[in-house]
Amino acid sequence: MTTQTTQTTHTTTTTATPSSSAPAIAAADAARTRLDFAKSARPAFRALIGFDAAAREGLDPALVELIQIRASLLNHCAYCLHMHTNDARRAGESEDRLHLVAVWREARHFFTAKEQAALALTEAVTLVSDGGVPDAVYAEAAAHFDDSELAQVLALVCAINTWNRVALATAKVAGTDER
């Protein structure tokens, strides 16, 4: 167990075993000291929900979850990663693919060419400060998606990156899946 103390807050982080995860999640959530974005910025929160819903429109639900999982991995957002891996399972996604999203380039045979293009674009947009969105990455995505679909993928990547940043900034607790 590690304890981190600042002048105004005290946070305890523990690693929960499967049998004790529910109480540990509840305790971590109760100890949260940051604002509730949904309550404190209700208009912005509702707008983000609308943007997220619009971004998903017309996209394959499996692809949506893969994009959200990859961005959440890159952003180290445990809250969103937990939520979207569970959503993907409920939608019928295989455990193999879920385990390999983080290393999809080494496991390309688990993902279609279209999914690979979307994952590469997700990485480039999520890590945009590392060199922008390379022309080759964009061209590969454009080869697999028509303009409307490509715009939807881009919007989805922007949405999950925003959700990740809200969750991280407000210290959302993985496993609570508050929606």
Side-chain angles (χ1 to χ4, degrees), residues 74-130:
L74 292 169
N75 288 321
H76 304 273
C77 184
Y79 176 82
C80 293
L81 182 60
H82 182 270
M83 179 186 300
H84 293 296
T85 54
N86 283 337
D87 288 350
R89 281 185 191 96
R90 281 191 292 275
E93 188 59 76
S94 76
E95 288 298 316
D96 283 341
R97 283 169 39 102
L98 291 177
H99 293 296
L100 295 170
V101 171
V103 292
W104 67 270
R105 291 178 195 280
E106 289 77 34
R108 290 179 182 270
H109 59 285
F110 281 89
F111 303 96
T112 67
K114 188 173 188 173
E115 290 168 339
Q116 291 175 44
L119 290 169
L121 184 63
T122 299
E123 289 176 359
V125 174
T126 299
L127 303 173
V128 71
S129 67
D130 291 349

Side-chain angles (χ1 to χ4, degrees), residues 2-16:
T2 55
T3 303
Q4 179 183 22
T5 306
T6 64
Q7 289 180 325
T8 58
T9 63
H10 177 79
T11 304
T12 303
T13 305
T14 59
T15 302

Side-chain angles (χ1 to χ4, degrees), residues 15-40:
T15 302
T17 59
S19 62
S20 68
S21 63
I25 291 169
D29 191 39
R32 183 174 58 193
T33 59
R34 299 195 183 177
L35 68 84
D36 181 333
F37 184 79
K39 289 180 183 173
S40 299

